[in-house]
Amino acid sequence: MVYIGVDLGGTGIKAGVVDEQGNIIAKESCPTGVERGYAPVIEDIAKLCTRVASRAVHDMSEIKCIGIGLPGIYVPATGRVPFCTNLSWHDVPLLSEMRKYTQLPVFADNDATVAGLAEAVAGVSAGCKTSVFVTLGTGVGGGIIIDGKPYSGPHGIASEVGHMITVAGGELCTCGNKGCWERYASATAIIREGRKYAKFHPDSALAKAVNGDLDAIEAKTVIDLAKEGDPAASELFDQYVEHLCVGLVNLINLYDPEIIALGGGVSHAGQFLLDRVNDILPKMVFYKTMPYAKVELAKLGNDAGIIGAAMLGR
Ligand SMILES: [Zn+2]
């Protein structure tokens, strides 16, 4: 048996046929075209599934199910997507729309949850029963895998780890609350702090790296300077990692995972990031003499969305 996984994003839809072990056999993609509204987008998802299946199998009966990863929340009990900001979806009947085109079982979940599942099946946390995936990008997303299964909670919101409040009364978040973890642990946080620093220190290496054009400061600008040993950038990066570790230790205390896998743009800092995390995290864990989660880099990159979505119904 094989599975279809769909990675539904704001700009593109990717679909793949995936085997039991999480290997992609065939892959197809098309633009999302969000502005058309949800119905034609879901019709395109179904068409893409048929197209990719025809390349991988002789008969649709060889496909066990379809899984969809989306940048929002899905409630299995209702088959609906309450909201999905990137797609401008509000209360979309995803399951009943899919039912117009396919009789296959359809599963869906948050894209970070799905990426976490992919890592647990075929990536860095393969073989672990309990793992947490954290994506450090524009925001912070999460995927919680317990006993090999994604845990999204009865209301579908358990993976919204980026919105755990780690600084009471802190930075205003896109969600309307203040002090959410993602305001401090995302790439956006590094950019914000980097630009703030450079504004007040026009002679700093950071300001010079972008020839004074502060809007050109990216997370990579700060990280690269920190890697080179620039004191100010190192200080900014250490502050970032400290905030990152506050959330990581909360996840460790809540779920006691075997592995926490870090993905997303900031994880491209690689071993440099892991080394700093491994300096700071041990000072924050509760049981200092007990083993706790290893923090590793996610392995699957862009394919995680397809693989994990496919594995939702496994
Ligand atoms: Zn928030």
Side-chain angles (χ1 to χ4, degrees):
M1 280 305 233
V2 290
Y3 308 81
I4 293 179
V6 178
D7 182 355
L8 172 59
T11 52
I13 309 169
K14 293 183 280 179
V17 175
V18 178
D19 70 12
E20 290 276 351
Q21 286 72 43
N23 302 304
I24 297 178
I25 303 166
K27 213 158 54 165
E28 290 272 348
S29 63
C30 69
T32 312
V34 175
E35 64 289 345
R36 300 176 298 161
Y38 69 81
V41 173
I42 297 172
E43 185 178 355
D44 280 355
I45 292 174
K47 280 183 186 162
L48 201 63
C49 289
T50 312
R51 210 160 83 206
V52 75
S54 69
R55 284 184 43 205
V57 297
H58 297 294
D59 192 297
M60 282 303 270
S61 66
E62 293 169 56
I63 308 275
K64 199 167 176 193
C65 55
I66 295 172
I68 302 168
L70 49 90
I73 291 168
Y74 177 74
V75 182
T78 60
R80 300 175 89 91
V81 176
F83 50 81
C84 189
T85 324
N86 289 355
L87 301 173
S88 308
W89 282 11
H90 297 278
D91 198 28
V92 167
L94 177 63
L95 185 61
S96 61
E97 284 294 314
M98 283 297 287
R99 277 279 154 274
K100 293 180 182 170
Y101 311 103
T102 179
Q103 288 313 305
L104 285 168
V106 174
F107 301 87
D109 213 321
N110 172 265
D111 51 6
T113 298
V114 155
L117 180 58
E119 292 292 339
V121 172
V124 68
S125 39
C128 295
K129 283 187 121 182
T130 302
S131 59
V132 175
F133 170 77
V134 179
T135 172
L136 309 168
T138 309
V140 171
I144 295 152
I145 311 299
I146 298 175
D147 284 333
K149 290 184 195 141
Y151 178 74
S152 292
H155 313 100
I157 58 174
S159 60
E160 297 294 338
V161 299
H163 299 281
M164 69 169 128
I165 295 172
T166 54
V167 178
E171 294 275 343
L172 183 65
C173 184
T174 50
C175 74
N177 283 330
K178 282 182 174 177
C180 291
W181 188 35
E182 75 167 34
R183 288 301 97 204
Y184 300 90
S186 58
T188 310
I190 303 180
I191 296 167
R192 180 190 68 227
E193 293 304 315
R195 288 178 186 176
K196 207 192 285 176
Y197 182 87
K199 190 179 167 192
F200 292 107
H201 300 85
D203 293 328
S204 61
L206 200 52
K208 284 177 182 162
V210 290
N211 297 318
D213 176 13
L214 304 191
D215 289 342
I217 293 177
E218 297 295 339
K220 193 175 182 303
T221 324
V222 178
I223 293 168
D224 285 349
L225 279 171
K227 279 182 178 173
E228 288 166 21
D230 173 66
S234 299
E235 173 79 29
L236 288 171
F237 189 67
D238 283 358
Q239 279 167 12
Y240 166 81
V241 175
E242 198 156 329
H243 280 296
L244 173 64
C245 286
V246 168
L248 295 181
V249 85
N250 289 346
L251 293 169
I252 289 171
N253 288 340
L254 283 169
Y255 299 109
D256 186 21
E258 289 156 80
I259 285 188
I260 296 182
L262 302 180
V266 179
S267 73
H268 296 147
Q271 193 59 43
F272 183 68
L273 172 66
L274 287 188
D275 287 346
R276 294 307 288 132
V277 167
N278 288 324
D279 285 341
I280 294 170
L281 193 62
K283 296 170 192 153
M284 295 185 181
V285 291
F286 179 47
Y287 288 108
K288 295 197 171 44
T289 55
M290 296 281 285
Y292 61 92
K294 266 197 203 118
V295 180
E296 303 273 11
L297 302 172
K299 232 165 76 172
L300 298 174
N302 288 337
D303 284 339
I306 291 177
I307 298 168
M311 295 293 104
L312 282 175
R314 192 174 73 147

